[in-house]
Amino acid sequence: MRTIALGLLLGVMGMVGAQAQQTDDARVVLVMTDGLRWQEVFRGADESLLTAERYFDKREVSSLREKYLAATPQERRQKLMPFLWSTFIPQGQIYGDRDAGSDAYVTNGFNFSYPGYSETLTGHGDPRIDSNDDRPNPNLTVLAWLSKQPGFQGKVAAFGAWHVIANAVNPEKCISCTVNAGYDPMAMSPMTREMKLINDIKANSPRVWEDEAYDAPVFETALEFIRVKKPRVVFLSLGETDEWAHAGNYGEYLESAHRVDGYMKTLWDELQAMPEYKGKTTMIFLVDHGRGPAPEEWRSHGQKVPESKYIFMGFMGRDVSTLGVRSKVPPVTQSQVAATLAKYLGLDWNEQEKQAGRPIADAVK
Ligand SMILES: [Zn+2]
């Protein structure tokens, strides 16, 4: 009798433990790259735009054409973003392929960066955020809220190539968060040799853009922080895709999208090699806004470019159904991302923020 009772007790404890583990261990990595079009993600490189006139001062583009062009959209997108197409999407799902009857769009009405990051991080548009001015977000973000939940204190981190990302997260409201953006050096305790090196490279690289660092040191900063501190929620915001597009440099715009894909692969592979993350992590990938069409408006976005409201959003990893490229489905919006992200962690953002979009039902198991 005694043995049976103990066995039962252990069985019950085991179940409780397993249930608790469902949410206690969950981790999310949110990756955004500024203004990458859904067109490149789903169709690959646009041949009509990949010309010397749209590269560095008419630099030769034959190697880039070799690298990114192919006969079909399926082959071209695979060349542009191989991790996305061979790992992320087959193991997850993605919205926003307008050719397949799936629309994803921003609801803030502005179609530029700060409103898009705020919509993503809060779950709603805000008419007060009508510029890219570097001001603190007046709203509570899902990251700031998460950082106050049990098990998340000191476990939320945000890294932005664009300096304004820090204020979009709002470190004053995200007190226990680690936030590093723009050219600011990363302070970490203990400091590692690698982080010092990354800080040096960032500090001593050309400042092509006044308020935006190159993506590479920003990515490396996030990766090194993850290795050392093992945060549960990471927001990585990259920016070159938008900058090169504004500059009319389609060749480098493609190269930066390709690099982002490589960063996601490196990040995912490293996470799967760490017991803290393996099998426990969901990755989300989207953009703050889209851009206009070829031949000229692809450089631009905003209220005057209506097509720039269209975005893509993908999900992979823990608790994501493997539905691949979504086709002929109802539209989804950027305002649904915050609640979806929280749901992967077993938490209800809509309870806190009534204005927020609901989680994308199909995206969470
Ligand atoms: Zn822009």
Side-chain angles (χ1 to χ4, degrees):
M1 274 306 285
R2 203 168 150 243
T3 319
I4 293 166
L6 185 62
L8 271 171
L9 183 64
L10 287 172
V12 170
M13 283 170 69
M15 280 166 64
V16 170
Q19 275 170 1
Q21 202 178 20
Q22 280 292 315
T23 46
D24 284 1
D25 269 9
R27 286 150 193 266
V28 168
V29 178
L30 169 66
V31 180
M32 298 182 73
T33 188
D34 205 299
L36 174 61
R37 301 193 309 166
W38 68 269
Q39 289 93 330
E40 275 74 29
V41 169
F42 295 103
R43 298 172 182 167
D46 183 330
E47 184 169 8
S48 74
L49 296 177
L50 192 45
T51 61
E53 288 68 37
R54 292 187 177 88
Y55 196 32
F56 289 101
D57 197 20
K58 300 186 184 167
R59 194 185 294 176
E60 175 62 44
V61 287
S62 55
S63 63
L64 281 188
R65 290 176 68 87
E66 179 78 17
K67 187 174 176 185
Y68 294 123
L69 295 183
T72 67
Q74 288 76 14
E75 291 169 89
R76 289 196 299 271
R77 68 195 189 188
Q78 175 72 34
K79 283 180 150 186
L80 184 64
M81 306 193 83
F83 171 75
L84 188 72
W85 286 99
S86 32
T87 303
F88 189 109
I89 297 171
Q91 294 182 25
Q93 52 179 291
I94 190 164
Y95 296 82
D97 184 355
R98 305 197 71 214
D99 299 327
S102 169
D103 280 356
Y105 57 87
V106 306
T107 67
N108 60 63
F110 293 110
N111 310 342
F112 59 80
S113 290
Y114 198 155
Y117 290 111
S118 185
E119 180 173 339
T120 303
L121 298 175
T122 65
H124 59 87
D126 182 348
R128 292 172 297 179
I129 299 174
D130 59 358
S131 79
N132 278 340
D133 292 353
D134 197 2
R135 286 199 290 250
N137 196 330
N139 304 288
L140 183 69
T141 65
V142 71
L143 300 181
W145 176 75
L146 283 169
S147 73
K148 298 184 179 86
Q149 304 307 308
F152 289 92
Q153 285 99 339
K155 292 287 179 187
V156 177
F159 304 90
W162 189 32
H163 195 258
V164 179
I165 291 298
N167 264 330
V169 172
N170 195 349
E172 282 170 28
K173 291 183 180 173
C174 205
I175 296 162
S176 78
C177 303
T178 295
V179 180
N180 177 257
Y183 294 100
D184 289 350
M186 178 71 200
M188 188 172 73
S189 178
M191 196 60 177
T192 62
R193 194 172 163 271
E194 287 77 6
M195 196 66 96
K196 274 194 207 131
L197 178 64
I198 297 162
N199 281 343
D200 285 348
I201 290 170
K202 192 157 63 170
N204 295 309
S205 297
R207 300 199 173 194
V208 176
W209 308 295
E210 199 177 4
D211 58 355
E212 182 137 48
Y214 284 153
D215 287 343
V218 176
F219 166 68
E220 297 295 346
T221 300
L223 186 59
E224 176 65 1
F225 185 84
I226 291 167
R227 287 180 190 130
V228 176
K229 297 289 188 180
K230 312 282 195 298
R232 290 188 64 186
V233 181
V234 176
F235 172 34
L236 171 62
S237 168
L238 302 167
E240 286 189 38
T241 39
D242 189 68
E243 299 287 2
W244 294 119
H246 282 300
N249 190 330
Y250 190 74
E252 199 60 21
Y253 164 76
L254 293 179
E255 291 277 76
S256 48
H258 185 67
R259 284 192 289 267
V260 169
D261 183 82
Y263 299 146
M264 288 200 294
K265 176 178 166 45
T266 302
L267 183 54
W268 188 252
D269 288 350
E270 287 224 15
L271 292 177
Q272 296 315 303
M274 288 187 254
E276 292 86 350
Y277 294 95
K278 185 178 169 61
K280 300 169 185 169
T281 307
T282 307
M283 188 183 259
I284 303 174
F285 178 45
L286 77 153
V287 276
D288 53 335
H289 56 74
R291 326 192 70 81
E296 291 305 328
E297 280 196 323
W298 67 275
R299 294 178 59 165
S300 185
H301 58 89
Q303 283 167 294
K304 290 180 181 156
V305 184
E307 296 90 338
S308 61
K309 78 172 190 176
Y310 292 107
I311 59 171
F312 63 87
M313 55 177 89
F315 306 88
M316 85 168 290
R318 177 179 166 137
D319 286 345
V320 181
S321 313
T322 51
L323 297 171
V325 180
R326 304 313 314 277
S327 119
K328 300 193 184 80
V329 287
V332 293
T333 61
Q334 194 177 45
S335 63
Q336 296 180 270
V337 173
T340 307
L341 185 159
K343 197 166 179 190
Y344 288 125
L345 301 168
L347 296 165
D348 184 356
W349 174 238
N350 296 102
E351 186 73 18
Q352 167 67 34
E353 177 51 82
K354 307 294 181 204
Q355 295 180 69
R358 310 289 304 176
I360 297 169
D362 285 357
V364 189
K365 263 186 199 161

